């Protein structure tokens, strides 16, 4: 099977990847490549839920409006409208896999509210929605013998014909160290975002921007990659490799943010206070941290009853309690943390890239739904809707590629911090984290971006040819970091998650 031809070859094992595989006919030969194990994916860490209009008091226009506002004017309204319109259908599709969404006493779905939403419209499974959904879909794979799952197989690059069409992937089998070419009628990139370029991220170790980097090398258009979303409320504990997320639903259910002086600072920042869009809350928290001695602010839900907290947030309560924090009686220390890649490989709503027979889905893709700042719980919605649409398009064998309109990167002649090169002359992951945190974070500057661009270029030029999985990941991370930096240098407006202090 190592050199078998596949109808659909999927790189990635998150919600978009599994939704696509399970939405295709049972006679299709489908392969799923997992860089690690099947259960290791970013989707499983999604706490909040999936946004859809399910309440009679809500409306499609409300959801569309909230998405456009959060996206700061850069959303593709036609794409937003189509995806939101298919939200209810996406929930019903998931329900067939016995996903245990929380219900009210009358049997209807319990809906919560998150930042940027004007109504309750988040269907959820307590505070571990992603894990519950992924478990259901993973179990469904057992009943689909046409779907082969290959764990510990890392996709390295996209195979193309002389005419430029995609024909498969070059794959590294980690157990044998063999590199072979896998051919397919349709190739799908669904390997997640690039969160691991940052030292503090909610994304798992597998999220090293592989799909985006491979697409860049293949000549795909990359769009909106400068818009990196920082979740306002990561659990602020020292020495964390992966930051535990305190769900936005905690604020949706009444959680209050206070600074070191116990002041509720969000009231002066936005009419929605704690429920403002994520970029606004994250910058407000960062600003408060800069004014005080503590490296965090407080998020307090302890005024709700213990029964309420334990019912709605059992996973968060258990995790915090293991760290010595009883959220039923104490406030939670939180700080902004990298959470989501709003841009990525440019696709249409069906996942088509500008390369024929090459598709991209999930966080790695940029459909136009999120604009400059993703609205909470729209990501799982996008995964299900676009993956099911991609399945229909693949079945129709309609593979017309998007027109190529790759951006031109312009060199900026700005004074650079020469000391940075002297203090960080060699590449390793910790130094990349330091550069990303200092220059590509919540607040950026002209000089900082120019310095980062110089360092990243220096590292890439001198990086040896990759040999191991870590080597390939490092190369991909560097390429993604450069893409974020270049796009940020070209962005001339403070918008959404991109904030340059020199543009104010």
């Amino acid at each position: 099977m190592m050199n078998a031809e596949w109808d659909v070859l999927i790189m990635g094992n998150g919600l978009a990847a599994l939704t696509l595989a399970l939405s295709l006919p049972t006679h299709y030969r489908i392969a799923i490549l997992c860089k690690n194990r099947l259960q290791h994916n970013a989707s499983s860490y999604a706490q909040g839920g999936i946004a859809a209009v399910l309440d009679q008091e809500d409306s499609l226009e409300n959801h569309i409006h909230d998405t456009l506002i959060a996206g700061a004017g850069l959303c593709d309204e036609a794409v937003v409208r189509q995806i939101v319109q298919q939200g209810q259908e996406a929930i019903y599709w998931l329900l067939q896999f016995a996903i245990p969404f929380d219900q009210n006493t009358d049997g209807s779905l319990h809906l919560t509210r998150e930042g940027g939403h004007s109504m309750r419209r988040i269907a959820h499974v307590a505070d571990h929605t992603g894990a519950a959904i992924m478990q259901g879909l993973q179990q469904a794979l057992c009943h689909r013998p046409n779907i082969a799952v290959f764990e510990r197989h890392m996709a390295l690059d996209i195979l193309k014909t002389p005419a430029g069409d995609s024909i498969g992937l070059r794959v590294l089998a980690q157990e044998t160290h063999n590199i072979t070419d896998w051919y397919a009628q349709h190739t799908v990139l669904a390997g997640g975002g690039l969160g691991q370029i940052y030292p503090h991220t909610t994304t798992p170790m597998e999220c090293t921007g592989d799909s985006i980097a491979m697409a860049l090398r293949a000549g795909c258009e990359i769009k909106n990659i400068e818009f990196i979303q920082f979740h306002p409320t990561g659990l602020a504990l020292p020495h964390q490799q992966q930051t535990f997320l305190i769900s936005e639903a905690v604020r949706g259910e009444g959680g209050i943010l206070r600074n070191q002086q116990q002041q509720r600072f969000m009231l002066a920042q936005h009419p929605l206070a704690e429920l403002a869009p994520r970029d606004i809350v994250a910058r407000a928290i960062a600003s408060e941290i800069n004014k005080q001695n503590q490296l965090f602010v407080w998020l307090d839900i302890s005024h709700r009853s213990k029964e309420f907290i334990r019912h709605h947030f059992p996973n968060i309560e258990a995790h915090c309690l293991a760290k010595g924090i009883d959220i039923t009686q104490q406030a939670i220390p939180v700080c902004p943390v990298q959470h989501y890649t709003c841009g990525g490989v440019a696709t249409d709503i069906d996942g088509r890239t500008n390369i024929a027979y090459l598709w991209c889905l999930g966080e790695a893709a940029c459909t136009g739904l999120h604009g400059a700042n993703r609205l909470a719980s729209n990501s799982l919605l996008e995964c299900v809707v676009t993956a099911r649409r991609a399945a229909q398009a693949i079945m129709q064998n309609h593979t017309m590629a998007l027109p190529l309109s790759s951006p031109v990167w312009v060199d900026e002649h700005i004074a650079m911090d020469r000391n940075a090169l002297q203090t960080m002359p060699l590449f390793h992951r910790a130094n990349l984290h330091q550069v990303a945190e200092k220059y590509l974070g919540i607040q950026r500057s002209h000089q900082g971006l120019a310095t980062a661009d110089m360092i990243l270029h220096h590292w890439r030029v001198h990086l040896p040819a990759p040999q191991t999985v870590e080597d390939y990941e490092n190369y991909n991370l560097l390429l993604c970091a450069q893409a974020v930096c270049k796009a940020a240098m070209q962005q001339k407006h403070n918008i959404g998650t991109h904030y340059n202090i020199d543009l104010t």
Side-chain angles (χ1 to χ4, degrees), residues 2 12 19 48 80 88 141 170 189 298 333 335 360 365 390-391 422 503:
M2 295 305 295
T19 297
V80 172
Q88 191 175 92
L141 293 179
R170 182 153 293 162
L189 305 177
W298 299 104
C335 64
C360 187
Q422 296 174 7
L503 296 177

Side-chain angles (χ1 to χ4, degrees), residues 70-351:
L74 289 190
C75 301
D76 183 324
E77 186 171 351
V79 169
V80 172
R81 187 168 295 277
Q82 290 181 75
I83 290 178
V84 166
Q85 286 174 344
Q86 294 172 63
Q88 191 175 92
E89 181 183 335
I91 297 290
Y92 292 155
W93 183 80
L94 288 171
L95 284 170
Q96 72 177 295
F97 299 100
I99 308 301
F101 286 109
D102 284 14
Q103 296 182 358
N104 298 309
T105 53
D106 62 0
S108 61
L109 292 180
H110 178 271
L111 304 176
T112 189
R113 186 180 173 193
E114 295 181 334
H117 289 274
S118 59
M119 302 290 293
R120 287 179 171 266
R121 65 168 69 97
I122 315 300
H124 62 102
V125 183
D127 60 352
H128 52 273
T129 309
I133 291 174
M134 294 308 296
Q135 287 169 11
L137 299 190
Q138 288 162 9
Q139 290 173 6
L141 293 179
C142 301
H143 306 289
R144 293 288 297 269
N146 65 308
I147 302 174
V149 176
F150 295 89
E151 295 186 324
R152 294 186 59 77
H153 280 68
M154 181 181 184
L156 303 181
D157 267 311
I158 297 161
L159 303 176
K160 295 167 66 176
T161 66
D165 295 348
S166 169
I167 54 172
L169 296 170
R170 182 153 293 162
V171 179
L172 169 64
Q174 297 178 48
E175 303 298 342
T176 63
H177 305 289
N178 288 334
I179 296 177
T180 52
D181 293 341
W182 294 36
Y183 296 97
Q185 295 291 322
H186 299 273
T187 302
V188 183
L189 305 177
L194 47 74
Q196 287 296 321
I197 71 174
Y198 293 91
H200 306 294
T201 175
T202 62
T203 63
M205 296 300 292
E206 290 79 15
C207 291
T208 53
D210 302 332
S211 292
I212 296 170
M214 288 167 55
L216 272 166
R217 290 193 291 270
C220 285
E221 179 183 358
I222 304 297
K223 187 176 181 182
N224 289 353
I225 200 70
E226 69 269 35
F227 299 116
I228 304 296
Q229 186 176 80
F230 286 77
H231 197 286
T233 54
L235 180 61
L237 295 176
H239 313 301
Q240 297 182 95
Q241 230 181 5
Q242 182 182 343
T243 303
F244 184 79
L245 182 67
I246 305 300
S247 171
E248 199 149 307
V250 172
R251 284 176 284 131
E253 295 296 344
I256 294 172
L257 288 166
R258 292 191 175 93
N259 59 20
Q260 188 174 354
Q261 289 73 41
Q262 296 301 311
Q263 298 168 330
R264 189 181 175 188
F265 56 90
M266 282 307 302
L267 291 172
Q269 297 293 328
H270 193 275
L272 292 175
E274 281 82 5
L275 290 177
R278 286 179 176 174
D279 59 325
I280 295 171
V281 181
R283 280 199 296 273
I285 293 175
S287 177
E288 292 298 319
I289 290 173
N290 287 336
K291 301 174 187 175
Q292 61 187 33
N293 298 323
Q294 293 172 335
L295 297 178
F296 55 84
V297 297
W298 299 104
L299 174 60
D300 194 358
I301 189 71
S302 64
H303 52 278
R304 302 301 300 259
S305 71
K306 290 184 179 180
E307 293 73 19
F308 178 91
I309 293 171
R310 288 169 179 166
H311 175 72
H312 286 276
F313 308 113
N315 191 40
I316 293 174
E317 189 213 11
H319 184 92
C320 289
L321 199 58
K323 302 296 182 180
I325 304 167
D326 183 352
I327 69 171
T328 68
Q329 301 184 51
Q330 300 170 258
I332 310 166
V334 296
C335 64
V337 57
Q338 192 282 335
H339 183 57
Y340 194 82
T341 310
C342 293
V345 182
T347 72
D348 67 7
I349 194 174
D350 298 332

